[in-house]
Amino acid sequence: MGASKQYKGKDCAYCGKLGCSSTNDHVIARSFFLDTERGVGLQIPKVAACQRCNNEKSELEGYIGSTLLIGSKHPEANRYRSEKIRPRLDRNQKLRKELNIDSPPVWTEINGLLQPMHAVTVDVDKINRLLQFIVRGLYRHHYHKPLPHDMTPDVSMIRPEAEASMWASVSHFFPPEAPRINCDLGRGSFVYSGVQSPVNEGFTAWTIGLHGQIPLHGQDGSADHWWCMTRPTPEAVAAARSHAGRPYEEK
């Protein structure tokens, strides 16, 4: 069965709409990897997607691939910047100017070598939106069904010193015997781990790192990966509270 038929008419992995998929989508963009890494050995998860979600995700991937990945700490980071990022920015002079990429770089030690680096301001909302897509795709790929409609991915950056306490706060949902997922695609190009609650299948926790753990600087300080949790939507929480507070009615 060809890929187009295999993924056509399925439930979209991203929005969950029934039977609307028209294409397959790589959960992690192929453009995030060097061409030499995209051989038979690199198995990027693929899912069914509707055209609307596929288009939106593709736009976000193009933006992230041209901005955030400038800070790559991958073993072949300079090659990635030369082969992937530079041509994109040459085609998008407006974005190049916004990033101020032509200003003098700061020499930074990466993988034991001094390399020229730029501090780039990236739209956090776009990063979070793309990671929400990715988490939904990983959920569909690993657990073989779309994320339930009453659950939503929550994305944040966690400082290294706060990560242990974060895991401790949710450890009762994820006992040690709960199966863990650990995957490294493209020698650190995309690294993720995930775990699913045995009590609520829609409740999952993920950590995601890009390109050798790119240094991230947000309101919570410095971090090098994202913490993503699928949790009940605000509407689902409100409905549960309303139901719990409803007075008992005799029949």
Side-chain angles (χ1 to χ4, degrees), residues 77-88:
N78 281 342
R79 184 180 163 205
Y80 186 87
R81 282 187 280 269
S82 175
E83 294 182 8
K84 295 291 185 179
I85 298 175
R86 187 174 298 165
R88 292 177 194 146

Side-chain angles (χ1 to χ4, degrees), residues 59-77:
E59 289 184 10
L60 293 169
E61 290 165 344
Y63 174 80
I64 300 305
S66 301
T67 55
L68 182 65
L69 297 192
I70 289 174
S72 175
K73 294 179 67 178
H74 188 275
E76 296 191 66

Side-chain angles (χ1 to χ4, degrees), residues 120-135:
V120 176
T121 300
V122 183
D123 189 327
V124 175
D125 290 337
K126 290 184 178 179
I127 296 176
N128 289 349
R129 180 60 179 151
L130 177 60
L131 289 174
Q132 289 173 344
F133 271 114
I134 289 175
V135 167

Side-chain angles (χ1 to χ4, degrees), residues 183-185 187-193 207-213:
C183 190
D184 181 344
L185 299 174
R187 297 179 300 146
S189 294
F190 189 91
V191 179
Y192 67 95
S193 63
T207 60
I208 292 175
L210 279 172
H211 274 247
Q213 310 291 69

Side-chain angles (χ1 to χ4, degrees), residues 78 81 103-110 113-119:
N78 281 342
R81 282 187 280 269
S103 62
V106 175
W107 288 87
T108 307
E109 185 173 339
I110 298 175
L113 299 173
L114 284 176
Q115 300 186 32
M117 297 292 291
H118 290 83

Side-chain angles (χ1 to χ4, degrees), residues 143 171 173-181 194-199:
Y143 302 124
S171 60
F173 292 108
F174 308 110
E177 63 271 18
R180 261 65 174 176
I181 298 166
V195 60
Q196 183 182 44
S197 171
V199 178

Side-chain angles (χ1 to χ4, degrees), residues 33-251:
F33 304 90
L34 288 167
D35 292 344
T36 52
E37 293 177 333
R38 291 177 358 206
V40 178
L42 182 63
Q43 300 295 326
I44 305 174
K46 288 197 296 185
V47 295
C50 70
Q51 198 62 53
R52 182 180 64 82
C53 287
N54 184 264
N55 290 343
E56 181 183 353
K57 181 170 174 284
S58 179
E59 289 184 10
L60 293 169
E61 290 165 344
Y63 174 80
I64 300 305
S66 301
T67 55
L68 182 65
L69 297 192
I70 289 174
S72 175
K73 294 179 67 178
H74 188 275
E76 296 191 66
N78 281 342
R79 184 180 163 205
Y80 186 87
R81 282 187 280 269
S82 175
E83 294 182 8
K84 295 291 185 179
I85 298 175
R86 187 174 298 165
R88 292 177 194 146
L89 293 178
D90 286 344
R91 294 191 298 268
N92 191 339
Q93 290 297 316
K94 180 181 178 182
L95 180 58
R96 186 186 187 98
K97 186 175 181 179
E98 289 175 2
L99 295 173
N100 198 28
I101 199 67
D102 295 315
S103 62
V106 175
W107 288 87
T108 307
E109 185 173 339
I110 298 175
N111 301 321
L113 299 173
L114 284 176
Q115 300 186 32
M117 297 292 291
H118 290 83
V120 176
T121 300
V122 183
D123 189 327
V124 175
D125 290 337
K126 290 184 178 179
I127 296 176
N128 289 349
R129 180 60 179 151
L130 177 60
L131 289 174
Q132 289 173 344
F133 271 114
I134 289 175
V135 167
R136 288 181 180 276
L138 292 176
Y139 185 99
R140 174 64 182 85
H141 173 74
H142 286 287
Y143 302 124
H144 312 296
K145 61 177 68 174
L147 184 68
H149 285 287
D150 60 350
M151 306 294 283
T152 187
D154 183 22
V155 179
S156 60
M157 291 186 297
I158 301 295
R159 290 176 288 110
E161 60 269 25
E163 188 162 355
S165 60
M166 176 64 77
W167 273 114
S169 69
V170 296
S171 60
H172 55 291
F173 292 108
F174 308 110
E177 63 271 18
R180 261 65 174 176
I181 298 166
N182 294 288
C183 190
D184 181 344
L185 299 174
R187 297 179 300 146
S189 294
F190 189 91
V191 179
Y192 67 95
S193 63
V195 60
Q196 183 182 44
S197 171
V199 178
N200 182 339
E201 67 177 10
F203 193 36
T204 62
W206 307 80
T207 60
I208 292 175
L210 279 172
H211 274 247
Q213 310 291 69
I214 295 174
L216 308 167
H217 302 277
Q219 293 180 345
D220 295 328
S222 179
D224 61 9
H225 62 277
W226 291 270
W227 170 281
C228 309
M229 185 169 288
T230 57
R231 60 176 77 236
T233 63
E235 295 78 12
V237 172
R241 287 175 177 170
S242 175
H243 181 77
R246 187 178 303 162
Y248 177 75
E249 297 179 4
E250 290 191 38
K251 295 184 179 180

